[in-house]
Amino acid sequence: MLKVNGIYKTFNRGTINEKRALNGVDLVLNEGDFVTIIGGNGAGKSTLLNSICGVFPVDCGSIFIDDIDVTRLPEYKRAKYLGRVFQDPMMGTAADMWIEENMSLAYRRGMPRGLKWAITSKERKMYREMLSHLGLGLENRLSSKVGLLSGGQRQALTLLMAVMRKPKLLLLDEHTAALDPKTAETVLELSEKFITEDNLTAMMITHNMKDAITHGNRLIMMHEGRIIYDVSGEEKAKLTVDDLLKKFADLSGEEFANDRALLN
Amino acid sequence: MLAFLSSLPGAVAQGIIWGIMAMGVYITFKIMDIADLTVDGSFATGGATLVVAVTSGLDVGLAILLAFIVGCAAGLITGLLHTKFGIPAILAGILTQLALYSINLRIMSQKANLPLSVDKYDILISLRNIPGALAVGAVFVVVIIAIMYWFFGTELGHSLRATGCNQSMARANGINTDTNKIIGLVISNGMVALSGSLLAQYQGFADINMGRGAIVIGLAAVIIGEVIFSKLFKNFALKLLSAVIGGIIYYIVITLVLRMGLNANDLKLFSALVVAIFLGIPYWKRRIAERKSINPKGAA
C-alpha cells in the first residue's frame, strides 16, 4: 500500500537553524492498516506526513503509494491518492467559500477541472446526505460560508472532504489537537467511523497516548527523525500508557518530552 | 453647478470604462489575493494596440479582441515570473509593468502619443457622442459580468477561488495553484487591456502614460464599491457590478473636485489619499473594536 524507503529530510541545511527532521525512515503499510503515530516534540511526525503529501521534496529515499512512485510528484498530483486533515482547523477548508463549494472541490480531487458547472443538483443532494451523517446540522447550511463555522465543525467538514473520494491513504495530523475535549472526541469518533466503514488505510498523529492505544491496529513511535518502535495486533492492544513511556525511555535513553502529551 | 451637471454624463462614461478595468483588478485583488501592478502597463498596452490596429485598417471589433489578447499575454508574463521564477507577485507585476513601457513605445512606433480620430475611423465609443458611449459601455459591462459569472461558477472558476482563498487546501484537493494564479492574472490583464482599448477610443488617442496609476484607480473603484454595497450585494455578479459603480462614483467625485478648483496635476495625490484612507478604514475599525473589547468598564 504505502512504501517509504529510507527518506531523509534536513531543513535549513548549512545554516544555524539546520534541523535534521527525518533521519532515515522506512515504513511499509498494508491495506487497511490504521496506524497511530506518537513521539516527542520535533520527532519528525508531521515531517513524515508532509513528505508523503509532497509539501516539500525529500532529500533522498523514495515513496510509493500502491506501487506508484510519487517521490518526485508535486503535491497537487499526489492529492488524488490522499485525504488530509491538518492540525489547524482553518487550513483544510476555504473560508470564503460555501460548504457545498468546498465539498465540490474535494469531490473533484484528482479529476480534471474544466468549464462544466462546479456543482450539479444531484451532487447537492449527495452532499446534504453526507453532511447529515456528521450529526452537526450542517446539512441545512449548504450555502453558508465555511468561515462562519466553529473549529470543530470545520474540522469535521475537512474530515468528510478528505474521505468522500475514498483515498488510498488518509493522513490525520493531530487533527483534534486544536479542539476542545468534547469536540475532539466527536471528531475522533467520526474519524474512527469513516476509517472502519470504508476500510481505509490511515495514519494518525496524536499527542494523546491513550488515543494512540485505543485507536488503530498498529502504533509507531518516532524519535529524532526515526521510527524507534513499531507494534501491531495483539501486542499493541495490550499496551498501556505506562508501557509506552517506559518503552520510550528504554529505546531513546530519554524521558518522553512532548509538552502537550504531558498535560494529558 | 450647472457646469458640473453637464459634465456628469461624461464622468459616468469614463467611470464605466474604468469600471471594466476595476473588474479586472477585482479578480486579482479580491479573488486571487494578489496585488497585481502589471495593470499600469497593460492598460496602456490595450490602448496602444487598439489605436495601431485600427489606424492600420483592422476592424474595431477585432482590434478590441487583439488588445484583450495582448493584455492576456502581459498577464501571462507576470504569472510566469511569479510562479516559475519565484518572484513575489508585487515585484513580478512591477517588472512586467516596467518592461511594458518599452513595449508600448514599440507598439506605437516610439511615439508617446498616437491620435485616433473618430472622423476618420469607424470606432465604437467616443466622447463626441456621450449617450452612445454610455450605451456601449453598459453593454460591455453586462456582457463581461455575464461571462465572469459563468466562469467563476465552473469547476475551473471554483479552483481559482480556492487558490486565492487557501493554497494549502487547494493543493490538498489536487488543484495546481501555480497554473490557477497564471490563469487569474491572464484574465485580469486581458480585461484591463480591453478597458484601455475602450478609453483610447473614447478620448481619441493612446498615450504612453494613460495607465499610470491605473492600479490605484482600479483599487479605488473596488474599495468604494465594496464599502458602499457590501451589505447590499452578496451575489458575485452584483459584487462585480459594485466595482463598476465604484468606478463611476470615483469619476463623479474627481469631476466635482476639479470643478471646485483642484489643480489637475494634484489629482494623483488626491487619488492616492482616497485609496489609502479607504484601505485603512477596515484596519481602524478592527483596532477600535479590539480596544472596546479589552476595556469593558474596568472588568478583567
Side-chain angles (χ1 to χ4, degrees), chain A residues 230-263:
Chain A
D230 184 343
V231 57
S232 54
E234 279 289 292
E235 199 186 342
K236 183 211 173 239
K238 281 189 291 192
L239 281 175
T240 65
V241 172
D242 287 336
D243 291 342
L244 277 182
L245 286 173
K246 191 167 168 299
K247 204 85 201 169
F248 184 86
D250 288 350
L251 290 165
S252 71
E254 291 173 26
E255 287 292 306
F256 190 84
N258 180 324
D259 27 11
R260 270 199 306 268
L262 293 177
L263 294 172

Side-chain angles (χ1 to χ4, degrees), chain A residues 168-213:
Chain A
K168 289 187 187 300
L169 181 59
L170 175 66
L171 300 169
L172 309 170
D173 186 356
E174 294 209 45
H175 67 312
T176 61
L179 308 175
D180 66 79
K182 196 165 162 292
T183 320
E185 190 59 44
T186 313
V187 171
L188 196 56
E189 270 167 28
L190 279 170
S191 315
E192 175 82 44
K193 186 181 118 178
F194 284 129
I195 292 168
T196 332
E197 275 176 9
D198 293 335
N199 194 25
L200 296 174
T201 311
M203 296 171 83
M204 177 172 87
I205 299 179
T206 176
H207 61 264
N208 186 323
M209 296 216 179
K210 233 169 67 214
D211 286 344
I213 292 168

